[in-house]
Amino acid sequence: PQVAAVYFVECSVDVKTTDGYILRVFGMAFTKKQPRQQEKTAYAQSAQLRAIRQQMMKVITEQCTSCDLKALVVKFTSEAISKEMESAAQRVFPIQNVLTIPQG
């Protein structure tokens, strides 16, 4: 069996929409190898993982608290929040397969 050569990064945030709904939103991502990387693994340091989680939580909070539930559903279905999380976290360490899941 092949060993996973990436890290799984996850976070959860409790947010309140402008119309008063409270949701718990989960963010998930995997680390990614850099384009010309020779190493077979894409392991991030623990400080980088914390920084990625912090960026993910910041984006989720900003996006979810600034709109009502109807607009938020559109953001989740169009994966706008996931794309913004990916671009924000790329500054720290490359990530891929970013996903946001609301629970409420």
Side-chain angles (χ1 to χ4, degrees), residues 11-29:
C11 69
S12 66
V13 185
D14 292 335
V15 292
K16 188 173 188 178
T17 60
T18 56
D19 52 354
Y21 287 95
I22 297 173
L23 300 171
R24 178 167 289 150
V25 182
F26 295 93
M28 295 170 240

Side-chain angles (χ1 to χ4, degrees), residues 8-9 16 29 31-32 52 60 71 80 94:
F8 176 64
V9 185
K16 188 173 188 178
T31 57
K32 176 171 99 173
I52 291 171
I60 290 171

